Amino acid sequence: MQHYAWADEDYDLCLTVAVVTGQSVAEVVRAYGGDPARTPDVLPFPAAVMEEDEVGSVFLPQVREVEGRVVVIENIGWLGTTGEVATRASMGGEFVCVHWDLNAHSRIVEAVDGQVVATFEPLIEEAPPGVGEVFGQDALNAEMLAWLEQRSGVGFDRAWLTEPAATYRVVL
């Protein structure tokens, strides 16, 4: 968990990250409501932000393939925390997601084969059976990234916060 300490030191970081198994990049983009047939923008994470008047209606998920899994990150967005996305993205596989924002909201979502098996706010709600983690206040973001790595088998690479990635525009 120590290698994720930076996540609690960057007070401006709003992040949603999901790791998906059992789906292709195109299927995950579609599960998020994007169009995989459209050529995505290739943006660095800081530029993948919706306009102020688009918050809640436009999302800009960044998608990459890592170690045979699909990783989706959102800057300020929270589309990956919705049950609809978790259900669609987990069809035939698994979906694990963590989220935190500037308002001290956080969420963990896990779905398996089209069924949401856990969705909770780790500082307020007790983790459901089988999720297997007790989260504390002191290093919550680092703990959630460590949990994500343990559950998905993919460690979060801090370089993803600067490297350009395929970015899809999703309009609800």
Side-chain angles (χ1 to χ4, degrees):
M1 185 178 79
Q2 192 66 27
H3 63 283
Y4 293 126
W6 57 266
D8 290 292
E9 296 164 359
D10 184 346
Y11 299 113
D12 293 326
L13 180 62
C14 296
L15 180 67
T16 302
V17 57
V19 179
V20 184
T21 62
Q23 297 263 8
S24 68
V25 168
E27 290 168 323
V28 171
V29 168
R30 200 171 295 109
Y32 270 73
D35 182 356
R38 298 190 85 194
T39 302
D41 292 327
V42 178
L43 301 173
F45 183 76
V49 180
M50 70 288 287
E51 298 294 326
E52 191 173 320
D53 64 340
E54 297 176 326
V55 173
S57 62
V58 174
F59 295 86
L60 299 170
Q62 295 191 297
V63 183
R64 57 177 40 90
E65 195 164 2
V66 178
E67 301 172 16
R69 294 162 177 85
V70 179
V71 176
V72 181
I73 62 174
E74 299 176 72
N75 185 359
I76 302 178
W78 60 88
L79 197 54
T81 66
T82 65
E84 297 84 8
V85 168
T87 297
R88 290 190 302 259
S90 70
M91 295 301 287
E94 295 181 63
F95 175 92
V96 290
C97 178
V98 299
H99 161 84
W100 69 83
D101 66 24
L102 295 177
N103 298 317
H105 297 124
S106 56
R107 179 142 301 276
I108 290 179
V109 179
E110 186 170 10
V112 178
D113 201 21
Q115 298 290 317
V116 174
V117 296
T119 180
F120 65 100
E121 209 309 352
L123 289 180
I124 298 172
E125 302 169 86
E126 190 171 312
V131 172
E133 185 73 36
V134 175
F135 297 93
Q137 286 183 281
D138 294 337
L140 179 62
N141 300 345
E143 288 177 1
M144 289 194 302
L145 288 177
W147 176 87
L148 183 79
E149 180 177 354
Q150 184 261 330
R151 293 302 264 205
S152 71
V154 175
F156 189 89
D157 186 341
R158 192 173 181 185
W160 297 340
L161 299 177
T162 55
E163 293 174 350
T167 306
Y168 293 85
R169 184 175 177 85
V170 175
V171 179
L172 301 181

